[in-house]
Amino acid sequence: MKLSFKHIATFLNVGEKRSSRIISSIGLGIGVLLLLCSVQMYYNVNLLIKDKNPRKDGFDFISVTKNITDANMAEDHRFTSADISEMKTHAFVSDAAPLVSNQFRVRANAANIIHSTDLFLESIQDNFLDILPPSFSWHPGQEDVPIIFSSDFLEMYNVFATAQDLPQLSASSIGVINIMLECSGRTGRSIELRGHIIAISDRINSVVVPEEFLQWANKNLEGCVDPPASRVYIKTVDANNTDLLKYLEQKDYHVNKDKTKFGRVKQILQAIVSGLGGFAILVILLAMMLFSFYLQLMIARSKDNLQLLLMLGYSPGWLSKTVAKKWIPVYAIIIISALVFTEILQYLFQQTFLNGREVLSPVIHPMVLIVAAVLMVLCVTVNYRLIRKLLYKL
Amino acid sequence: MTNIVLQNLFPDFLEKEKIERSQIWNEHITIHKGDRLQIVAPSGSGKTSLVHFLYGLRKDYHGSILFDGKNTKTFSPEDFAKNRQTHLSVIFQDLRIFPEQTARENIDIKRMLQPFHSQSQIESMTGALGVSTKLNQPGKTCSYGEQQRIAIVRALQQPFDFILMDEPFSHLDENNRKKAMALIEEEATKRGAAIILADLKPIEYFKANRILNL
């Protein structure tokens, strides 16, 4: 016959009052529930914030400029190549590329649409463009300059076009317009080129021309090679990454707040969730302390009997394991109940606040299960070590 | 376990004269399995201390106690537990009965650890000592004499190579002493075990092959 707890149960004085055990159990249950809910909310927040910011190709592209204030207006706010290299060293930046602008003067003219106006042109690495037609290239001597135009600019044009008696244009019809570009610079050289809008970009709000053209024109018309850029585009896995936002704040770089606003909300929510998690850990610690006091009391009450059992030949190791094992179902019930409650709350959250949308799963995140398992192991281990310590002291 | 050796053993607290007068303290004594050793010791000579040292309950002594050549001072609580389950049994002068448990539970808690006898033999052994009617009575309601006989039956439930006894019959009358001694000798013989009996004066019905004065 294998010895078990039931053989020694009558020798342990667990006390008449069950209140301390019940209070400890409720305390532990609340603490575990709070912690599991915090972990689940952490993942919910991450998922919901990502969902608010749909991305292309798995990356976000953010335009970054240096902050211009009244105090620093006189300074140069352009990015050096060292600034860009430094950006690329951070894990949260997948790539960074300058948006180089024209250093020479450009005057644009389009029959009936643009009546001779100064224009700015910019270029960026091809892999930062969201649309790249095969004809988007240029070589010296080519009179046609392909242009990628911002969809925001087209929208703005169409807003005021009717008031100015100008035709409204669609994204596909804009390509037929011939834009005469008069380019001149400090070298005294001047050329006339034809510009054609060949694509509309949702990502880059600028008038983008091929890099080869801008390099050639900056050099040959203005005598400028590799000019510093005023804007840099950052390619990142998550524009709402809190480390990225911290970095941008620390460097005093300006970004489009709309692109990262959910990141700021996420920062706040994560702080709240972390605070809740910290509070939960405190409650768990207090509950475990109550449990330990209860165990110490039980062992103190049963001291004479336990000493006699040890004297008869019961090993302190076996007694510790057997008494500690008795508590496993108690911890299991508490932790499983907390898991079930967390699942119910997650289901209600998904059904009630998100109307059952599949943005969030109604099932708890696997990490919650892992945290629950870790808590279980922790409770049982702490319990066993405490009992063992007390028994070896007898 | 086949032998116990006491090497220059004496308690830290005992007066020098008592140690010098003793045939055990500060001597080299070997006790073999199967021996019948009677230790005669007046009050205050360290009789209970000796049993406690051998059983591993105290370590406030000089010298060494060797179990099959191994110094017991190096034993862990687990090692002592193992010895108490299979090699060493004990009957204390102060009875050490669980007061709230019945006599049967008191005996069975020892038997279950390493059963040498079946549960039914508890009846016959307690019957032989005249306490079978007390089996379902809580320990605290039994008289000292009954508690002592329950403690004797309890000590005989396990396998052992040595049984230590510290004034085991102090609460018994002559008739019950003889019955208890006979039962202990019978059980020790079954196991080929040694009996180490410490008492105030020689016990004539204990067939000792060696008597030492403490």
Side-chain angles (χ1 to χ4, degrees), chain A residues 144-215:
Chain A
D144 281 322
V145 178
I147 294 171
I148 295 176
F149 199 61
S150 162
S151 59
D152 290 342
F153 292 179
L154 178 61
E155 196 182 320
M156 280 160 59
Y157 165 79
N158 282 329
V159 167
F160 71 80
T162 45
Q164 302 295 319
D165 289 332
L166 294 170
Q168 285 191 311
L169 299 167
S170 69
S172 54
S173 65
I174 199 167
V176 300
I177 297 167
N178 266 330
I179 306 166
M180 298 309 296
L181 302 170
E182 290 172 31
C183 308
S184 58
R186 282 185 196 166
T187 58
R189 199 171 159 186
S190 166
I191 53 163
E192 269 200 24
L193 299 161
R194 279 191 305 278
H196 280 110
I197 296 172
I198 59 164
I200 300 292
S201 170
D202 288 330
R203 181 183 297 163
I204 298 180
N205 54 347
S206 182
V207 181
V208 182
V209 292
E211 275 189 299
E212 298 85 353
F213 170 69
L214 215 58
Q215 275 169 12

Side-chain angles (χ1 to χ4, degrees), chain B residues 188-199:
Chain B
T189 308
K190 272 184 199 168
R191 295 162 175 85
I195 299 173
I196 302 169
L197 192 156
D199 215 320

